[in-house]
Amino acid sequence: MTSHVVVTDQIVPAAPSDTDRTTQHFAWVDVRALQGAARDAVVQAAINYGLDGIVADDPELLAGLPPTIRRILTGGAQSAAAGKSRPDKKKGDADKAADPAAPFTPDLVLTEATDLRAGDTPAAGVHVVVSDAATLGHACDLVRVTPWTVLTFTDPTKIPLEIVIAAAENSGGKTVTVVNDIEDAGIVKLVLEHGSDGLLLAPRHADDVVALVNVLTPETAKMELSELTITDVAHIGMGERACIDTCSLLELDEGCLIGSFASGMFLSCSETHPLPYMPTRPFRWNAGAVHSYVMTPDNRTRYVSELRAGQPILAVRTDGSVREVRIGRVKIERRPLISITATSTGGKTINVIAQDDWHVRLLGPGGSVNNVTELKPGDVLLGYVPTEARHVGLPITEFCEER
C-alpha cells in the first residue's frame, strides 16, 4: 500500500518507512518506447503479475490504469499534471474503478535531477544519471533526502550503485535502479546483499515482464531428505577423490549431495567445523571419489570428474533448504578411500566412496557431524533418495539397477 502526505492541493507519496525497506524487492516497467499492441501487452502483463509500477510520459495511459499499480509520470507531461488532485486511493483496491470525470494525478511524478536548481527542495521522485564522480556525489545527496530516487548508471561497474545504496541506508527512501536486461536485474538485486529496492526495466515484450517477476520471486527450493542407516563400512585402498571448492561461504549444517548410485546420495559436510591440524575452509566439500554423482540445479546429477570452475551446484542444509552456489575450483588428488553403504527407510541401497580420513565428514539428523572413519553399522545419516533413475544426469522412468 502507498502511504501519502497531503501538501496543499497535491497528493505527494510519503517517504517509505524503515520497516518497508526490509520488504521484498519490487519492479517498475518503463513503457515509453513501446506503442500499440506491444505496449498494451506489457501493461496488461505488469498488472496481471502484480508489478509495483508503470512509468510513462502519457497521462492518458496512466489515467486508464487501475489503482492496483503505481502510476509514475515522467517528461514534459509533468506540467500538465501539476496542480491537479484526486481523492486518495489505496493501492490494491481493485474494486474501485477510476472515475473518468475526475482530474488525474499520478501517484508519482519523476523530476530530472538536472532540472533541480541549487537550493531547491528535492521532489518526491527524482531521476539522476550517474556518469562521473560529481553525479555520483549528487545521487548520494539525493537518496538521503528524497522518498524515491531512480538511478541510471552509464558505466557497467556496480561500484557506484554500491556507494549509493550505502548512502541510502536508514534514509527511509527507496532506490530504483534502471536495468538493461533480465541478467542485469538479477545482479542489481543482489548488490551489497540488500540490492536496489526496486528495478526499472524497459521491456521489449510481455515475456520480459514474466522473466522480471521470476527474478523478484525465485522459488524457495526444498528437498525432502531421508534417514540412511549404515550397513557396511570398508577401507578399499587408493583412488582419486575430489574436493569441491565453491565461491560461497557455507553454513555449519550445509552440504552437497553425493553418492555412487543415482538411487540415493549422502549429505556431505563442508569444512566449516574446526580441525586440530589445519584451519577451516568453509567454502569446501571434501566430496568423494571422481566417479560419484553430485546434485546440481534443475534436478540433474553430474559426475564429480565433470565439474568445472563456474558451474552451479546445489548446497543443501539439514532442514532440506536448497540454494545454488558456484564452483570456484575442483581439486582431484590420489588418496586412500573408504566405502560407506546404507539403506533407506524404503529399502534402497545407498553408497558413497570418500577419502579415508578422519577429517572427512557426513551430516546426520539434527545437523550432527560424523567423521567417516568412525562410522559403524547402525549409525544414521542424512541423504536424498530420488524416485527416478538417471540417464546422462537427467531423471528418467525406466528400469535401472546399480550395484
Side-chain angles (χ1 to χ4, degrees):
M1 181 188 302
T2 305
S3 55
H4 294 87
V5 173
V6 178
V7 181
T8 64
D9 62 344
Q10 286 187 300
I11 300 173
V12 180
S17 67
D18 287 339
T19 55
D20 288 340
R21 288 185 62 82
T22 62
T23 59
Q24 191 176 21
H25 297 271
F26 61 88
W28 297 349
V29 289
D30 184 347
V31 298
R32 288 176 293 175
L34 297 175
Q35 299 292 329
R39 186 178 73 173
D40 293 343
V42 166
V43 167
Q44 287 304 312
I47 294 170
N48 293 338
Y49 281 92
L51 292 192
D52 185 79
I54 291 177
V55 176
D57 53 10
D58 181 357
E60 292 186 8
L61 168 67
L62 295 176
L65 299 179
T68 55
I69 195 161
R70 200 184 310 274
R71 293 162 286 191
I72 303 115
L73 186 63
T74 69
Q78 294 177 15
S79 59
K84 295 181 180 180
S85 62
R86 58 173 174 80
D88 186 16
K89 294 182 179 180
K90 294 181 179 179
K91 190 173 185 290
D93 189 358
D95 296 329
K96 295 181 181 179
D99 180 0
F104 168 68
T105 298
D107 297 305
L108 181 64
V109 175
L110 285 182
T111 300
E112 292 295 328
T114 52
D115 292 338
L116 295 175
R117 302 191 195 95
D120 280 354
T121 300
V126 174
H127 173 230
V128 56
V129 177
V130 177
S131 57
D132 53 25
T135 51
L136 175 59
H138 194 195
C140 290
D141 292 339
L142 287 171
V143 295
R144 295 186 180 103
V145 296
T146 308
W148 301 90
T149 306
V150 176
L151 302 154
T152 295
F153 296 93
T154 59
D155 294 322
T157 173
K158 301 305 179 191
I159 292 176
L161 175 57
E162 294 177 3
I163 295 171
V164 175
I165 289 174
E169 186 73 17
N170 299 320
S171 69
K174 295 274 191 181
T175 58
V176 183
T177 302
V178 175
V179 295
N180 300 317
D181 49 38
I182 298 301
E183 182 179 10
D184 193 30
I187 295 170
V188 168
K189 175 188 169 185
L190 298 175
V191 168
L192 284 188
E193 295 187 14
H194 176 280
S196 179
D197 297 300
L199 309 173
L200 175 55
L201 175 71
R204 294 167 298 170
H205 40 67
D207 289 346
D208 289 339
V209 176
V210 179
L212 185 59
V213 170
N214 290 335
V215 168
L216 291 172
T217 55
E219 294 183 3
T220 302
K222 201 89 170 178
M223 299 189 78
E224 185 176 350
L225 299 181
S226 301
E227 291 189 355
L228 308 175
T229 302
I230 301 295
T231 58
D232 184 66
V233 178
H235 306 276
I236 61 172
M238 301 294 289
E240 278 71 42
R241 71 93 177 99
C243 290
I244 302 175
D245 293 342
T246 72
C247 300
S248 299
L249 295 176
L250 305 168
E251 300 293 337
L252 294 174
D253 66 340
E254 196 168 34
C256 72
L257 289 166
I258 184 167
S260 298
F261 308 149
S263 56
M265 291 166 237
F266 290 82
L267 188 59
S268 74
C269 182
S270 57
E271 294 189 12
T272 53
H273 300 270
L275 294 165
Y277 303 110
M278 56 195 303
T280 60
R281 294 184 174 93
F283 52 82
R284 168 175 292 178
W285 290 302
N286 200 330
V290 289
H291 75 284
S292 306
Y293 287 121
V294 176
M295 283 299 298
T296 62
D298 301 321
N299 192 25
R300 180 165 187 162
T301 59
R302 291 189 183 278
Y303 295 121
V304 168
S305 61
E306 294 178 342
L307 299 178
R308 298 290 185 271
Q311 290 180 337
I313 190 173
L314 288 186
V316 183
R317 300 187 70 169
T318 53
D319 65 357
S321 58
V322 176
R323 66 173 172 143
E324 179 183 306
V325 297
R326 292 283 167 168
I327 296 171
R329 171 179 52 247
V330 177
K331 188 170 67 167
I332 299 175
E333 297 166 312
R334 189 168 177 81
R335 294 289 187 272
L337 300 178
I338 187 170
S339 174
I340 301 159
T341 304
T343 56
S344 69
T345 54
K348 286 189 176 181
T349 298
I350 317 296
N351 177 267
V352 67
I353 295 176
Q355 180 178 340
D356 191 349
D357 194 279
W358 179 82
H359 78 275
V360 179
R361 295 167 290 199
L362 300 174
L363 289 167
S368 64
V369 178
N370 302 272
N371 305 88
V372 294
T373 55
E374 296 179 348
L375 290 172
K376 59 186 182 302
D379 289 344
V380 178
L381 301 175
L382 282 179
Y384 175 60
V385 183
T387 58
E388 316 94 342
R390 298 275 164 174
H391 180 64
V392 294
L394 298 173
I396 184 171
T397 304
E398 67 172 4
F399 174 76
C400 180
E401 181 179 349
E402 295 175 301
R403 301 179 183 180

